[in-house]
């Protein structure tokens, strides 16, 4: 049986950042990736996908963005190329095509990994499998003649059936795909929720720059509360250099908005009468952000000219609460209803809450077992490209103490 000090499971931003920090401490380790480096970015994003944060914030431990377009938003293929280049630059010991089927703890405190490449015995494990593991679809009995996809299986309009598209869910992915399909000329219906949105730019700066300066990304889950982990990220887009994206801009682009999906049977769908309430709650998030920026600027530079008063954009038409997909020519449904964590392959009590393992900045109650890259694992930035480094350094430091290498 193969033996090594540490196994990192997953070669996305969290796993690679952890590898960098372990190497910096001269800790022997391997990074196991069931597919390829940055696989989620590579194969679980649609063709027109653009980064939601500015290029200048694409920073990983030991590597800052060095490209020619810092204020732009790189596309999917460049994102993958940069992760591959980073893995090569730091000499990450990635083994691709190795899936961990089961993780268990042995009586001597070590961990046994059953993988598709045999058994591996390690002294510590870092689980960096990402935040989007298992697709979630509301229960439905849609007619089998309707093509159903999820956001991670949708690629482009050319792969859909001829006809209209119903998208269920108005978070980042649902809204971005709705915009993408409208630009392709498709008829699009969007069953909404109340995810908030955020202006791409305000008072001359990207919202990410403001939030970094104001310390928003450093807010800890200990202060925000567990429920924040279940909240959707703000709706925004980096397509075409970045612009505002929200329910009202989609309505102006010709997307038919509805309330929340209540049920789907055959070719009929039932919808809640809550579109206006959803749009109002979504707008409230944008108002909170702009008010925060205004207050921040006023407190530090009282003579600075005020920003343009923020107003929600456009009006919303009346929304249907029931319709027949066939009558409207809707032949496709894309489920943008989110993902769930899945650690069923770990044969340990993780004390989960809403599927979220109990941990403190990645450190579980099981000595030598750590997590990385989860949404709001420790702070707002824990799952983000520019945020994983801080948690990786902490996890690597704790692991070094566990191994007696500190």
């Amino acid at each position: 049986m193969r033996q090594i000090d540490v196994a990192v499971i997953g070669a996305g931003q969290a796993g690679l950042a952890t590898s960098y920090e372990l190497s910096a401490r001269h800790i022997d380790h391997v990074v196991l990736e069931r597919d390829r480096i940055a696989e989620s970015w590579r194969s679980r994003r649609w063709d027109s996908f653009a980064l939601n944060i500015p290029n200048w914030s694409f920073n990983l431990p030991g590597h800052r963005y060095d490209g020619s377009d810092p204020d732009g938003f790189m596309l999917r293929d460049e994102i993958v190329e940069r992760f591959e280049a980073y893995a090569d630059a730091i000499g990450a010991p990635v083994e691709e095509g190795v899936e961990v089927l089961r993780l268990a703890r042995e009586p001597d405190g070590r961990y046994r990994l059953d993988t598709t490449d045999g058994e591996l015995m390690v002294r510590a494990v870092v689980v960096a499998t990402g935040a989007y593991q298992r697709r979630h679809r509301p229960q439905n009995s849609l007619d089998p003649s309707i093509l159903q996809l999820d956001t991670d299986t949708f690629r482009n309009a050319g792969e859909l059936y001829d006809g209209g598209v119903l998208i269920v869910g108005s978070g980042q992915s649902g809204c971005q795909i709705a915009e993408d399909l409208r630009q392709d000329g498709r008829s699009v219906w969007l069953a909404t929720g109340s995810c908030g949105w955020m202006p791409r730019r305000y008072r001359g700066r990207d919202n990410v720059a403001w939030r970094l300066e104001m310390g928003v990304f450093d807010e800890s889950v200990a202060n925000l509360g567990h429920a924040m982990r279940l909240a959707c990220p703000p709706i925004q887009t980096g397509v075409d250099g970045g612009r505002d994206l929200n329910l009202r801009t989609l309505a102006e682009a010709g997307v038919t908005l509805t309330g929340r999906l209540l049920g789907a049977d055959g070719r009929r769908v039932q919808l809640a009468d809550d579109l206006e309430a959803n749009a109002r709650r979504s707008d409230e998030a944008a108002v909170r952000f702009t008010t925060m920026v205004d207050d921040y600027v006023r407190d530090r530079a009282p003579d600075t000219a005020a920003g343009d008063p923020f107003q929600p954009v456009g009006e919303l038409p009346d929304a249907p609460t029931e319709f027949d997909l066939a009558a409207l020519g809707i032949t496709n449904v894309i489920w943008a209803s989110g993902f769930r964590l899945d650690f069923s392959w770990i044969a340990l009590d993780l004390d989960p809450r809403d599927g979220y393992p109990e941990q403190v900045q990645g450190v579980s109650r099981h000595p030598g077992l750590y997590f990385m890259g989860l949404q709001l694992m420790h702070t707002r930035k824990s799952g983000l490209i520019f945020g994983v480094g801080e948690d990786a350094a902490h996890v690597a430091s704790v692991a070094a103490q566990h191994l007696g290498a500190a």
Side-chain angles (χ1 to χ4, degrees):
M1 181 186 296
R2 183 182 175 191
Q3 300 186 46
I4 199 166
D5 281 340
V6 181
V8 179
I9 306 174
Q13 64 255 30
L16 294 177
T18 304
S19 177
Y20 174 90
E21 295 293 348
L22 291 172
S23 292
R25 291 163 177 76
H26 308 289
I27 295 175
D28 187 31
H29 69 283
V30 64
V31 181
L32 304 178
E33 168 55 55
R34 66 180 178 183
D35 293 301
R36 297 164 292 179
I37 290 171
E39 186 64 31
S40 289
W41 295 96
R42 187 192 304 267
S43 65
R44 300 182 70 183
R45 304 292 194 277
W46 51 96
D47 292 348
S48 65
F49 179 85
L51 198 64
N52 288 328
I53 57 175
N55 292 342
W56 54 258
S57 65
F58 193 101
N59 299 322
L60 289 160
H63 175 81
R64 300 189 67 81
Y65 175 76
D66 58 359
S68 59
D69 187 18
D71 293 317
F73 299 84
M74 65 183 76
L75 301 179
R76 182 191 61 190
D77 291 348
E78 183 181 353
I79 297 169
V80 173
E81 290 171 2
R82 285 189 172 273
F83 277 123
E84 290 179 326
Y86 178 67
D88 183 63
I90 67 174
V94 179
E95 297 184 7
E96 297 181 314
V98 180
E99 181 177 3
V100 178
L101 305 174
R102 187 173 183 270
L103 168 63
R105 193 175 184 202
E106 296 293 286
D108 63 3
R110 293 184 300 168
Y111 292 90
R112 187 183 74 253
L113 282 68
D114 298 331
T115 81
T116 52
D117 191 42
E119 292 185 346
L120 178 64
M121 192 70 74
V122 301
R123 297 170 63 193
V125 182
V126 181
V127 179
T129 49
Y132 307 108
Q133 299 167 9
R134 177 170 53 84
R135 305 179 191 111
H136 170 70
R137 288 186 184 182
Q139 289 188 346
N140 72 90
S141 53
L142 281 171
D143 190 287
S145 66
I146 297 169
L147 176 63
Q148 297 187 59
L149 297 174
D150 298 274
T151 55
D152 65 337
T153 55
F154 167 76
R155 295 293 171 266
N156 55 67
E159 295 182 351
L160 301 179
Y161 293 164
D162 291 339
V165 186
L166 169 63
I167 300 172
V168 180
S170 60
Q172 277 189 9
S173 297
C175 289
Q176 289 174 14
I177 291 173
E179 183 181 60
D180 184 90
L181 291 174
R182 275 303 297 152
Q183 291 178 341
D184 192 73
R186 291 286 182 135
S187 296
V188 179
W189 286 256
L190 179 65
T192 66
S194 57
C195 287
W197 72 281
M198 194 170 288
R200 180 73 272 174
R201 297 177 183 88
Y202 185 63
R203 297 185 76 147
R205 302 179 68 190
D206 192 272
N207 72 64
V208 174
W210 280 120
R211 287 186 284 164
L212 278 168
E213 183 174 326
M214 294 187 296
V216 172
F217 288 113
D218 293 320
E219 294 174 343
S220 71
V221 71
N223 293 326
L224 294 169
H226 174 83
M228 185 60 67
R229 285 173 168 158
L230 308 178
C232 45
I235 302 166
Q236 56 185 341
T237 182
V239 171
D240 293 337
R243 55 173 175 264
D244 285 354
L245 177 65
N246 55 57
L247 299 185
R248 299 175 193 275
T249 64
L250 289 172
E252 291 173 350
V255 175
T256 300
L257 302 179
T258 76
R260 178 172 47 90
L261 180 76
L262 296 178
D265 185 14
R267 297 184 181 182
R268 299 198 66 82
V269 296
Q270 295 78 43
L271 304 144
D273 184 19
D274 61 358
L275 174 58
E276 281 293 342
N278 291 342
R280 184 175 61 254
R281 286 194 293 269
S282 186
D283 283 342
E284 286 170 356
V287 172
R288 284 194 299 271
F289 166 73
T290 55
T291 300
M292 182 186 300
V293 173
D294 290 341
D295 292 344
Y296 177 82
V297 172
R298 184 179 58 251
D299 291 345
R300 285 156 181 76
D303 295 331
T304 302
D308 294 332
F310 176 80
Q311 295 292 336
V313 182
E315 296 296 328
L316 295 177
D318 292 336
T321 56
E322 184 176 11
F323 55 71
D324 185 293
L325 299 179
L328 295 174
I330 298 174
T331 55
N332 309 273
V333 172
I334 297 177
W335 296 97
S337 41
F339 294 82
R340 300 292 186 268
L341 296 174
D342 184 2
F343 296 113
S344 59
W345 50 277
I346 300 179
L348 292 165
D349 182 5
L350 302 178
D351 299 321
R353 183 177 176 186
D354 299 315
Y356 207 103
E358 182 64 30
Q359 50 75 43
V360 177
Q361 199 170 359
V363 181
S364 81
R365 68 178 179 83
H366 300 283
L369 176 64
Y370 313 103
F371 292 88
M372 271 292 301
L374 300 176
Q375 183 172 322
L376 267 88
M377 187 179 78
H378 176 56
T379 65
R380 285 186 185 270
K381 66 177 183 285
S382 285
L384 303 176
I385 293 171
F386 61 80
V388 291
E390 184 177 301
D391 290 336
H394 178 73
V395 163
S397 176
V398 175
Q401 295 177 18
H402 174 73
L403 297 171

